[in-house]
């Protein structure tokens, strides 16, 4: 299929700059664009590429100001990244979805299966579990007893969901995700053995949540570990028992959250961050990569950095001095030397 | 089922304060307690909740001193957390265990299977492998050739155990665990290629070990990677070839241990800690979250912090100064200014 | 089978010191060697063990200088570690490989399967996927549609490969690896919801690549995430969308690399390191454990440390001062005190 710049501009409610008649048949990255492809510019780091990209059409933000001539036709929109996401979505939907129930799947007799599902080979669905309509279960996935999976949810290959857990509508769980393993709860005994504390709660994942590959979300000791609607969680993240992740909170890869810590809405946790247990973290908190938070955060919309973390700007000041610490020590040496000399004069 | 405060106190060898006749039928968290439920107070962070919990009974430590009136009936015990763990254990055992061997499992002809096992659908058991009595293998688990799994061990869904590995009695392996993948051993060559060093050892996991979801324990190059009895390991932990984890050592989530490092007993490794290879770490060592240990630790029962880690108290002193480093630099500026002024006077 | 020192020296092109007639039948670690075994010494940390090892033969580097008498027969070679790897390889190859296609596997009708493959039970191979000759697929592995897996590649149990991905020849993917899950791309909306950016690219893994257990390599948004030939990647590593890993680059466990970052050849990323997105990292860069890189690295063959990372030697200088920061503060206090005293005199 081919689309002209005019057709694309119409679909995205954008305006055209350049040749309206040029047409494209596929998508490309701006730095690798070739004739007949459509690309986009959103991240300023890639601005230099727009002046020599071979892509035929580039979607840009309305406020983009060209500093040189551009060969490509531009389509200006309010938000180039979102507009491009829309195009990708159209492209992906055109590919269709798998469907049907494999006779190599195992579905417990008491399970309830919705309409238009895909249940692939080697999927195991436990007793009394409910699978919603239009939901996709890829191969080698295990869903335990008494689970409830919503509608229009995609569960990729090899996901493991323990008994009693609840997954909402329009969720995506990537391959290897583990939902509902036991929280890490042990009572130390006088003989230094650990007594296991059984974990009888569950995990509740609300609607529109995405969970990355091999991420683990433990069941609650009592009650529920909760991932609220719209949260997005990357790969290899550890979420311990009784944690709550707020609405539209983003958790980047390899972050670890200890037991019972609760996040407000719209937080952003960068990669490899860590959180102690039993904390409350305010709405809109941002934590920079590799930082570790050991205390409650009460002020909303603040940025934290360091391990242990404190205010981001203060950390950066301290860190600049840390890098120059050798110079500071030399200055103190010098001061001592001068003062000693003075006093001996 | 309902239990009176008296029955619970008798079961836990505790003493009652308040209404002995009140009865409960389920368990709750103290901050979410409702009438008819039993809760507990062990972590001092939650003490405030005991004065307004709606739980009917709360288990507390013998030395708990109430500062206000409490509506709930108290049951005083030596260790409230362990007593509550006992109750959770009774509750969980009342739910029963799965059993039977699925005809959708694959069991190699030469494998030996114990009594009263559960082997779920899509489990693969390799040649000459031995599965002990009362052991549970959940769906989509793969156990290679020549493995030995003990009695009363639970292996959750999607666990992968490579050939020749040994798992003890009463162990729990959570979903997605990988036991016995190759250690990361490569010999750099002059042409900058890496030559793979085959890993022909195995992994031995002793009795009463718990291993968290998606944790990886690599096989030894030669000999064995060993997890000693009573060790508890959280999710997404990396344990490299030839490592030894001591008895009753606790390893929190996302910790990484490089090859051939050996831990004594009763160590506590907090979340996201890292350890270089070929180290010896003394009994009772504690390492705080996100710290990185690069040297042997010879003194027992000490606490380490930082990356690279050193004595915990020294780290904390240094870190307080780090946070105030901007102030220190200003003070040095001021000193230099004064001294310059002096000398020019 | 038994081998004499002479036979081993001949096989490794080495020279013998000591009894040429002694023979061995298995391999051992030098610190655990027993009579009849062959060991090696490459890491200087283990040198002390050579003087009392009970191994009958020890392979050492040509430049090893004994400081005491050694009971074992020595075989001197250019590179003891590589020579031992050769022996391990011979040992492992003598064990043979699994073969045959299980009738409990699912192979889509349109898939193309090479010669002499092993496809174990509960493996799922998608439509139009091509599996090369001599390639091994262990149980419970899922390979999506339109994938291409090369020749002589080993894919261990429970690996999940999403559609459209390409794996080269002579690669090893360890258990639980996830290839081709969606990159973590979301466009923030004005209402604070995230709009998913569909990820329509793929992953390309070139020849001779090893990937550790439970590691995740995300598909590209557009184009390809690329792991170049000879790269070695350890367990639990996160590689985001559109990343490129250079030839013979080594990535240790639990490292995380954000989207679109590109590495040159022969880099070494130690354990638990982190990389921001959209970076270019020069050939031969070394990053020490737990460090975090936030900027491009342009100079080749340099070492970085810290979070955020800077030059390794500078970091070490600063860190020594950090450890002694309490002393520095006391010295500044003292200087201020002296100066105040002076000025009040």
């Amino acid at each position: 299929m081919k689309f002209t710049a005019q057709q694309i501009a119409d679909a995205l409610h954008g305006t055209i700059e350049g040749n309206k008649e040029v047409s494209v048949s596929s998508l490309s990255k701006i730095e690798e664009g070739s004739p007949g492809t459509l690309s986009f510019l959103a991240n300023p780091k890639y601005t230099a590429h727009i002046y020599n990209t071979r892509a035929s059409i580039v979607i840009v933000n309305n406020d983009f100001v060209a500093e040189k001539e551009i060969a490509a036709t531009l389509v200006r929109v309010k938000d180039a990244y979102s507009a491009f996401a829309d195009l990708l979505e159209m492209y992906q939907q055109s590919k269709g979805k798998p469907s049907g129930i494999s006779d190599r799947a195992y579905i417990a007799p008491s399970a309830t299966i919705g309409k238009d599902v895909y249940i692939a080979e080697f999927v195991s669905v436990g007793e009394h579990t409910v699978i919603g309509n239009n939901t996709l279960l890829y191969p080698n996935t295990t869903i335990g007893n008494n689970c409830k999976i919503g509608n229009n949810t995609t569960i990729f290959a090899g996901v493991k969901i323990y008994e009693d857990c609840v997954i909402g509508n329009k969720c995506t769980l990537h391959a290897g995700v583990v939902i509902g393993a036991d929280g890490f709860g042990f009572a130390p005994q006088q003989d230094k053995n650990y007594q296991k504390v059984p974990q009888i709660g569950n995990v509740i994942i609300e609607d529109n949540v995405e969970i990355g590959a091999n991420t683990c979300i433990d069941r609650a000791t009592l009650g529920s570990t909760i991932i609220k609607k719209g949260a997005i969680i990357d790969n290899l993240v550890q979420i311990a028992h009784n944690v709550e992740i707020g609405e539209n909170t983003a958790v980047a890869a390899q972050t670890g959250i200890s037991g019972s810590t609760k996040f407000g809405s719209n937080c952003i946790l960068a990669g490899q961050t860590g959180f102690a247990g039993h904390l409350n973290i305010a709405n809109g908190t941002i934590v920079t990569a590799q930082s570790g938070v050991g205390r409650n955060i009460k002020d909303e919309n603040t940025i934290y950095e360091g391990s242990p973390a404190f205010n981001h700007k203060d950390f950066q000041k301290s860190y600049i001095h840390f890098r120059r610490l050798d110079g500071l020590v030399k200055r103190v040496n010098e001061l001592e030397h001068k003062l000693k000399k003075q006093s001996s004069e």
Side-chain angles (χ1 to χ4, degrees), chain A residues 14-222:
Chain A
T15 54
I16 303 183
E17 239 171 82
N19 180 1
K20 288 180 165 68
E21 301 308 319
V22 67
S23 67
V24 293
S25 59
S26 70
L27 306 170
S28 65
K29 291 192 282 183
I30 192 162
E31 69 272 31
E32 298 174 354
S34 56
T37 67
L38 176 148
S39 192
F40 77 110
L41 174 65
N43 184 334
K45 282 195 180 182
Y46 291 79
T47 302
H49 293 291
I50 200 169
Y51 303 110
N52 46 27
T53 186
R54 296 169 62 228
S56 301
I57 304 178
V58 181
I59 301 173
V60 297
N61 289 328
N62 280 330
D63 60 5
F64 169 74
V65 180
E67 296 182 345
K68 291 190 253 178
E69 204 176 343
I70 296 172
T73 296
L74 301 187
V75 174
R76 291 185 176 274
V77 297
K78 196 171 170 189
D79 178 346
Y81 191 44
S82 285
F84 195 69
D86 289 340
L87 289 177
L88 287 168
E89 180 64 28
M90 290 176 219
Y91 178 90
Q92 197 167 53
Q93 290 198 350
S94 73
K95 294 176 72 177
K97 293 197 299 182
S99 64
I101 300 180
S102 168
D103 55 11
R104 287 181 175 81
Y106 170 76
I107 298 172
S110 59
T112 306
I113 307 297
K115 291 181 202 162
D116 299 323
V117 298
Y118 167 57
I119 301 185
E121 49 280 4
F122 318 130
V123 168
S124 170
V125 176
E127 298 287 353
H128 307 292
T129 282
V130 178
I131 308 291
N133 300 327
N134 305 308
T135 281
L136 315 179
L137 307 183
Y138 280 74
N140 286 301
T141 279
T142 299
I143 300 181
N145 299 332
N146 304 309
C147 291
K148 190 177 177 322
I149 315 292
N151 301 322
N152 301 298
T153 279
T154 299
I155 297 183
F156 282 103
V159 168
K160 280 78 73 173
I161 302 179
Y162 283 57
E163 60 183 9
D164 303 327
C165 292
V166 179
I167 315 289
N169 302 311
K170 295 189 189 171
C171 291
T172 301
L173 275 60
H174 279 285
V177 160
V178 178
I179 304 290
D182 286 349
F184 195 61
F186 295 86
Q189 305 297 293
Q190 282 193 324
D191 62 2
K192 302 201 172 174
N193 285 312
Y194 286 100
Q195 180 189 10
K196 164 129 184 148
V197 179
Q199 307 285 308
I200 68 170
N202 73 345
V203 176
I204 297 175
I205 293 175
E206 296 185 355
D207 297 344
N208 290 303
V209 167
E210 175 139 347
I211 300 177
N214 282 348
T215 280
C216 300
I217 303 178
D218 283 350
R219 67 195 309 107
T221 310
L222 285 171

Side-chain angles (χ1 to χ4, degrees), chain A residues 220-253:
Chain A
T221 310
L222 285 171
S224 300
T225 304
I226 303 174
I227 312 297
K228 295 200 174 157
K229 65 180 182 183
I232 54 175
I233 299 174
D234 200 353
N235 298 348
L236 292 165
V237 169
Q238 154 67 358
I239 296 183
H241 51 108
N242 293 92
V243 164
E244 289 181 27
I245 302 291
E247 285 184 26
N248 296 326
T249 278
V251 182

